[in-house]
Amino acid sequence: MDTNEEIGLTQMRKSVENLGSSTDGYGEQTLMRFLIARSMDPQKAAKMFSQWQKWRAEMVPIGYISDSEVADELEAKKIYLQGLSKNGHPVMIVKVNKHFSSKDQVQFKKFVVHLLDKTIASSFRGREVGNEKLIGILDLQNITYSNVDARGLITGFQFLQIRIVRSEEEREEFIREVGEDVLPEEYGGRAKIILLQDVAVNY
């Protein structure tokens, strides 16, 4: 960590305290995420962190969201976690043809939090650097109009950068980037596909 980052963290901690919150229990890696997200502006990062703390306390009061709280979303068997890519990024697969607009938007939001928390716990916990990334593969095969979910897409696009694989050349490059040992056979790799709920983690 360079001097500017250390100064930024110190200023951010003070700003958080001035907002009536606390950074106790949060490591440098976690705080750096907020600084990076706010272009290293300590005041803006502190405000974002304080708002996140409040939101997190309301949404995830026990520290994680259990499978039972998002049972309907898990039942669809639409999300898979495949381990780490060649560059150390967790690989998540979404089978869009198994997704339908949720009647319970609160549960859907909890499901998104559950998914991201589980991805972090299975891949980054203990080795955070502050700018972690994941690879999300959206499988659009066999989708119908009933799979189109505007709210779900908005939620997804908030944390994903999309690259569409259209040609065989792009497909081969994609396989090389991710790694055959991680990609399931149906996408050109050698791995077996692993359901989100079958991945064991310690929160």
Side-chain angles (χ1 to χ4, degrees), residues 144-184:
T144 66
Y145 181 76
S146 60
N147 301 124
V148 178
D149 175 10
R151 289 183 180 177
L153 284 173
I154 291 170
T155 301
F157 280 116
Q158 287 175 340
F159 66 90
L160 294 177
Q161 294 177 329
I162 303 301
R163 185 177 75 177
I164 299 174
V165 177
R166 291 173 241 183
S167 67
E168 183 60 27
E169 183 179 343
E170 289 175 339
R171 178 178 173 275
E172 290 175 359
E173 180 185 353
F174 169 72
I175 293 171
R176 283 194 299 272
E177 279 186 26
V178 177
E180 292 183 356
D181 293 337
V182 174
L183 274 178

Side-chain angles (χ1 to χ4, degrees), residues 67 79-83 118-119 121-123 194-203:
D67 286 2
I79 307 288
Y80 302 81
L81 285 182
Q82 294 300 125
K118 196 162 190 179
T119 300
S122 67
S123 308
I194 306 168
L195 269 171
L196 172 68
Q197 52 264 49
D198 291 339
V199 176
V201 299
N202 293 316
Y203 290 103

Side-chain angles (χ1 to χ4, degrees), residues 13-192:
R13 287 190 178 100
K14 289 180 180 177
S15 294
V16 169
E17 289 177 6
N18 290 338
L19 291 170
S21 297
S22 172
T23 59
D24 291 348
Y26 295 94
E28 292 179 346
Q29 296 91 346
T30 297
L31 300 180
M32 277 301 300
R33 286 196 181 103
F34 292 88
L35 275 170
I36 291 169
R38 287 296 176 261
S39 302
M40 302 304 291
D41 184 311
Q43 285 73 37
K44 290 181 179 178
K47 183 178 179 182
M48 183 184 183
F49 176 80
S50 298
Q51 291 171 340
W52 171 79
Q53 271 189 318
K54 182 179 178 182
W55 169 84
R56 184 85 187 177
E58 294 172 356
M59 178 69 78
V60 196
I62 64 171
Y64 68 94
I65 292 174
S66 65
D67 286 2
S68 62
E69 292 180 77
V70 291
D72 293 342
E73 296 292 335
L74 290 173
E75 182 63 28
K77 297 183 178 179
K78 57 189 172 185
I79 307 288
Y80 302 81
L81 285 182
Q82 294 300 125
L84 301 180
S85 72
K86 284 184 176 180
N87 293 326
H89 305 313
V91 177
M92 173 186 70
I93 297 172
V94 182
K95 287 187 175 284
V96 180
N97 68 344
K98 293 185 177 182
H99 173 74
F100 301 94
S101 181
S102 177
K103 295 177 182 178
D104 184 344
Q105 283 300 308
V106 172
Q107 182 179 164
F108 181 72
K109 288 179 181 178
K110 285 189 174 186
F111 177 67
V112 174
V113 174
H114 172 81
L115 164 62
L116 294 176
D117 279 358
K118 196 162 190 179
T119 300
I120 292 168
S122 67
S123 308
F124 299 132
R125 188 63 47 84
R127 58 181 189 84
E128 296 94 340
V129 295
N131 62 345
E132 285 75 16
K133 298 178 181 179
L134 63 83
I135 295 174
I137 301 171
L138 300 181
D139 185 341
L140 302 177
Q141 295 184 82
N142 304 317
I143 65 170
T144 66
Y145 181 76
S146 60
N147 301 124
V148 178
D149 175 10
R151 289 183 180 177
L153 284 173
I154 291 170
T155 301
F157 280 116
Q158 287 175 340
F159 66 90
L160 294 177
Q161 294 177 329
I162 303 301
R163 185 177 75 177
I164 299 174
V165 177
R166 291 173 241 183
S167 67
E168 183 60 27
E169 183 179 343
E170 289 175 339
R171 178 178 173 275
E172 290 175 359
E173 180 185 353
F174 169 72
I175 293 171
R176 283 194 299 272
E177 279 186 26
V178 177
E180 292 183 356
D181 293 337
V182 174
L183 274 178
E185 295 170 354
E186 61 191 285
Y187 302 113
R190 295 192 294 264
K192 300 298 181 184

